[in-house]
Amino acid sequence: MCGIAGIVGFEADMREEMKICENMQKTLLRRGPDQRGIVLTENVALIHTRLAVIDVVNGRQPMKFIMGEQTYIIVYNGELYNTAEIRHELEEDFEFETASDTEVVLKSFVKWGTECVKKLNGIFAFAVWEEHNRRLFVARDRIGVKPFFYWKGREKFIFASEIGTLLEHPDVPRVMDENSVAELLLIAPGRTPGSAVLKDIFEIKPGWCGFYSEDGLKLWEYWRLEAYELNQSFDETCENVRELVTDSIRRQLVSDVPICTFLSGGLDSSLISSVASSELKKQGKFLNTFSIDYRDNDKYFQKSHFQPNSDPEFIRCMEEYLGSEHHWVVVDTPELVDALTDAVDARGLPGMADVDASLLIFCREIKKFGTVALSGECADELFGGYPWYRDEDIRMTDGFPWAQSTDYRSRFICDEYRNRINAKDYVYSAYRKTADYAMKLQSDNPVDYRMREMTQLNFHWFMQTLLDRKDRMSMYSGLEVRVPFCDYRIAEYLYNVKWEYKDYEGREKGLLREAMKEWLPEKVLHRKKSPYPKTHNPNFLEAVSKRLNEILNDSESRLTELVKREELEQLLTHKDKVQWYGQLMNLPQTIAFFIQLDYWLRKFNVQFK
């Protein structure tokens, strides 16, 4: 994994922009601490920082390939999981100088042009400059695991892995308009697909690619979830799921550096850990597993509908089952509160408060042991694990199931912007656009019809929020986290599996449990879904309340230029019980979000329009 950035211009000489490129590169050093490189030509500047995982010695970037009169230069962030197959196919036309997947991606583009992205199975964001054609090809993986932000002016196209990198270029404005305010206060921590919140800064959508040239920027969609008739028995479906999941995990274990797994004791991370452990034992190795917990959580934990039990007993069960070398990361409140601002630095935006901050701390500790980890994100979105898939009332509600708080959120918007934003229309139109985009079949029954919409909503919104979090919090410490359930083959297949199968025996992710039952002990196999662990210690609420109160009394704070002071003061009375963002963000997280928003406004000196 790496950090990438670049500038394309046809009016000025890019060879004169070295200082700007170096400043942009510095913001990406956490993503790629091992190597760095900059290539400047008349029309393009390409910037790279590398986290070396495959072919550590020879995989340096930017990577150049010359064929006759044609010159190609790539900057690439990602991992390709079918490298061997594509390389074998390309060897008919090319000799290879490295063992890196970067060279495979570059020569795939040389051979197949824009069609190359359809051959790649992996997580990636990359750009290839064609010197002979004076144009830049850009692409992002199908699922959206790796980021690709950009800004386009009249004379330049600037791109980067992170928003903060773009803002290092003096041409890129730091401006918010009413849409930015709506994104932050009505949608966040989610983002409208393609939006980067700040005015005129965008993100290439998952499954999109295109060219930037003197004719401008032209992007198109090369992949989406498609509906088709799938006439298979339940047993056949289980067999396919088993093959897809195990194959994806095995492919993602390829690494020239040590590899480990996240382990929460839940179904998804336990499955990944089980398959990974089995594969490593064949090589005479033992798996390192990592779990997070919070100081005194055992004392303050209370059962709820969303979180019926805590993780430790299930983690210990898996530790014994796997025989893994297990590591605990225990986080205390002061460390968690301090990390709220680090999480903004990492994400480039206010985010999921302590849910972000705790993952950042967790990844920082894992990095001390290794460079690559596997995590269980996205199984819930594809296999129907969330409560809103299974609760019929929530499922049929016409709106985002995890965000039913638009009226409450809109109260916080200051009058100037509230008068310019129709809150309900903004949120509902975003929801409706995605639901209508979902491909359906005339043969779908009402439940499967709605489930296609629910999958698309989760795929484009909730899942992207979690993938943002995973990428930024891990890469902040130079840790590569792979996500086996994000294999596009799994997504394509599961989109067409009927809900009756996914809900096997009336259990969340019943199909996945049945298909993979040989890989887990009974206790973990049948554990009810539990969300990412949060602190239950009341001193976290006390600490963030104190911090927000200090902000309100700070004359240099700009928070109340955007957010109503009286609503923030009401929030600090602790009487509000409205969920800000599903079960992940309640009262403490809402307060912490405004702490992050204040810091973000100051850090980037954002201007209001």
Side-chain angles (χ1 to χ4, degrees):
M1 300 299 180
C2 308
I4 64 173
I7 312 164
V8 181
F10 298 104
E11 301 296 327
D13 192 332
M14 293 300 104
R15 290 170 292 192
E16 299 176 359
E17 301 225 355
M18 176 59 84
K19 184 59 179 177
I20 291 173
C21 291
E22 289 175 342
N23 291 339
M24 294 174 69
Q25 187 181 59
K26 287 176 184 177
T27 69
L28 294 170
L29 289 178
R30 282 186 169 273
R31 293 187 71 90
D34 298 328
Q35 298 167 359
R36 66 184 80 175
I38 296 174
V39 168
L40 302 176
T41 73
E42 181 181 356
N43 297 125
V44 71
L46 295 176
I47 303 162
H48 193 265
T49 63
R50 187 182 183 211
L51 179 66
V53 173
I54 301 292
D55 196 353
V56 174
V57 175
N58 299 309
R60 292 179 177 273
Q61 298 186 48
M63 184 178 287
K64 181 183 293 188
F65 177 64
I66 300 174
M67 187 173 65
E69 299 297 318
Q70 300 176 350
T71 298
Y72 303 85
I73 311 172
I74 188 173
V75 283
Y76 163 72
N77 168 31
E79 290 291 340
L80 194 60
Y81 302 127
N82 61 340
T83 299
E85 294 97 318
I86 295 181
R87 183 187 178 107
H88 178 72
E89 194 172 350
L90 290 170
E91 284 174 339
E92 297 177 0
D93 300 281
F94 304 106
E95 291 184 359
F96 282 83
E97 299 177 3
T98 76
S100 70
D101 54 346
T102 305
E103 187 177 6
V104 171
V105 173
L106 177 56
K107 290 179 177 175
S108 294
F109 177 74
V110 174
K111 180 175 175 62
W112 296 303
T114 61
E115 291 296 298
C116 73
V117 289
K118 298 180 181 179
K119 289 180 170 285
L120 306 180
N121 180 0
I123 53 179
F124 55 79
F126 68 89
V128 180
W129 173 249
E130 296 178 288
E131 181 69 33
H132 47 287
N133 289 326
R134 299 214 312 168
R135 65 180 184 177
L136 186 79
F137 178 69
V138 296
R140 191 169 177 219
D141 67 75
R142 296 169 177 86
I143 307 294
V145 179
K146 293 284 106 180
F148 196 113
F149 296 100
Y150 69 89
W151 173 85
K152 181 174 66 70
R154 287 190 303 171
E155 299 178 354
K156 290 178 181 173
F157 175 76
I158 305 173
F159 68 91
S161 296
E162 297 185 357
I163 296 170
T165 307
L166 292 179
L167 297 180
E168 278 298 313
H169 196 289
D171 289 353
V172 179
R174 306 167 177 229
V175 175
M176 287 178 62
D177 59 10
E178 62 269 22
N179 288 327
S180 307
V181 176
E183 290 289 315
L184 281 172
L185 295 181
L186 299 176
I187 299 289
R191 285 188 287 117
T192 297
S195 165
V197 176
L198 289 170
K199 187 177 185 299
D200 296 330
I201 296 179
F202 304 96
E203 185 175 28
I204 294 179
K205 296 177 185 178
W208 283 64
C209 65
F211 280 109
Y212 178 76
S213 68
E214 291 177 276
D215 294 329
L217 179 65
K218 297 179 181 178
L219 298 173
W220 64 88
E221 186 178 51
Y222 70 87
W223 182 87
R224 63 173 295 182
L225 290 174
E226 295 186 350
Y228 58 82
E229 293 284 358
L230 184 63
N231 297 312
Q232 292 181 333
S233 68
F234 180 72
D235 289 342
E236 290 172 326
T237 305
C238 282
E239 182 178 352
N240 284 335
V241 166
R242 187 160 48 248
E243 290 177 356
L244 285 167
V245 171
T246 54
D247 181 66
S248 179
I249 296 169
R250 287 167 177 150
R251 285 177 181 271
Q252 298 192 29
L253 291 171
V254 175
S255 173
D256 290 340
V257 296
I259 201 161
C260 63
T261 64
F262 290 10
L263 181 61
S264 70
L267 178 68
D268 311 328
S269 66
S270 296
L271 281 175
I272 291 171
S273 297
S274 185
V275 176
S277 178
S278 174
E279 291 299 304
L280 289 178
K281 285 177 181 177
K282 294 176 184 177
Q283 305 169 29
K285 301 177 182 178
F286 287 93
L287 178 68
N288 280 271
T289 52
F290 290 81
S291 301
I292 189 169
D293 201 1
Y294 301 86
R295 187 76 62 197
D296 293 330
N297 242 23
D298 55 341
K299 182 189 302 185
Y300 296 106
F301 176 79
Q302 293 183 344
K303 294 182 179 180
S304 69
H305 175 68
F306 293 116
Q307 195 160 3
N309 43 50
S310 57
D311 292 340
E313 65 173 296
F314 298 94
I315 292 169
R316 286 188 285 268
C317 176
M318 281 304 299
E319 179 186 353
E320 181 178 346
Y321 180 78
L322 298 172
S324 64
E325 185 71 32
H326 191 66
H327 310 265
W328 286 93
V329 176
V330 179
V331 182
D332 204 356
T333 294
E335 181 183 24
L336 190 60
V337 175
D338 288 342
L340 288 171
T341 52
D342 291 337
V344 176
D345 292 340
R347 192 186 270 265
L349 291 166
M352 302 181 81
D354 60 310
V355 182
D356 277 0
S358 60
L359 182 61
L360 184 145
I361 295 168
F362 189 38
C363 290
R364 182 183 67 201
E365 294 304 309
I366 295 173
K367 176 64 177 179
K368 296 176 182 178
F369 292 87
T371 301
V372 179
L374 271 61
S375 180
E377 275 92 352
C378 305
D380 287 303
E381 286 83 357
L382 301 177
F383 285 91
Y386 291 123
W388 48 74
Y389 279 104
R390 307 189 68 254
D391 184 308
E392 187 173 354
D393 290 337
I394 299 176
R395 186 169 71 210
M396 299 310 295
T397 298
D398 196 25
F400 292 119
W402 54 83
Q404 298 292 316
S405 56
T406 301
D407 288 342
Y408 174 69
R409 283 175 171 240
S410 67
R411 285 172 21 193
F412 288 87
I413 303 174
C414 68
D415 289 337
E416 178 186 351
Y417 284 108
R418 194 174 184 183
N419 293 334
R420 293 157 60 182
I421 299 168
N422 187 317
K424 287 186 176 180
D425 283 355
Y426 191 91
V427 176
Y428 183 77
S429 62
Y431 154 78
R432 195 66 256 167
K433 183 177 180 180
T434 305
D436 292 341
Y437 172 81
M439 190 179 292
K440 300 120 178 171
L441 298 176
Q442 289 185 342
S443 58
D444 287 340
N445 63 43
V447 172
D448 286 324
Y449 182 97
R450 179 56 174 167
M451 283 305 177
R452 291 195 194 274
E453 292 187 338
M454 291 291 285
T455 300
Q456 194 73 67
L457 288 164
N458 279 268
F459 196 81
H460 275 180
W461 290 85
F462 199 81
M463 192 167 87
Q464 294 303 314
T465 304
L466 297 182
L467 290 175
D468 271 1
R469 167 180 176 259
K470 186 277 309 172
D471 176 80
R472 305 313 183 275
M473 300 309 127
S474 60
M475 294 303 290
Y476 188 76
S477 295
L479 177 71
E480 174 188 319
V481 178
R482 300 175 179 176
V483 277
F485 286 108
C486 281
D487 189 307
Y488 77 93
R489 300 169 302 162
I490 297 175
E492 286 178 340
Y493 183 70
L494 264 294
Y495 189 67
N496 292 286
V497 171
K498 62 182 74 173
W499 175 247
E500 176 189 350
Y501 287 178
K502 293 181 185 178
D503 195 40
Y504 179 68
E505 292 187 338
R507 294 293 308 274
E508 73 272 2
K509 293 182 287 192
L511 170 61
L512 182 61
R513 294 177 196 272
E514 180 64 18
M516 303 297 291
K517 63 184 179 182
E518 302 300 325
W519 287 97
L520 295 176
E522 289 288 319
K523 182 174 183 177
V524 174
L525 180 67
H526 297 295
R527 182 189 180 190
K528 182 175 174 58
K529 175 179 168 50
S530 190
Y532 177 83
K534 298 196 299 286
T535 180
H536 295 273
N537 196 321
N539 68 8
F540 178 72
L541 176 59
E542 295 170 8
V544 293
S545 297
K546 180 181 178 182
R547 182 75 61 93
L548 181 56
N549 190 60
E550 291 170 351
I551 289 169
L552 290 177
N553 290 317
D554 183 351
S555 60
E556 295 185 3
S557 171
R558 302 177 59 216
L559 183 61
T560 53
E561 296 177 42
L562 184 63
V563 183
K564 284 187 175 181
R565 172 180 287 273
E566 56 267 32
E567 292 298 334
L568 293 172
E569 291 172 343
Q570 168 64 24
L571 188 67
L572 289 175
T573 68
H574 299 171
K575 295 177 182 178
D576 292 345
K577 302 298 181 184
V578 181
Q579 290 182 335
W580 188 263
Y581 192 74
Q583 70 266 31
L584 290 175
M585 295 184 70
N586 297 310
L587 175 62
Q589 289 74 37
T590 305
I591 293 172
F593 172 81
F594 285 113
I595 294 171
Q596 290 190 314
L597 177 56
D598 173 76
Y599 174 77
W600 180 75
L601 291 170
R602 299 191 205 209
K603 175 182 172 66
F604 290 117
N605 190 27
V606 178
Q607 303 302 306
F608 302 136
K609 181 179 179 181

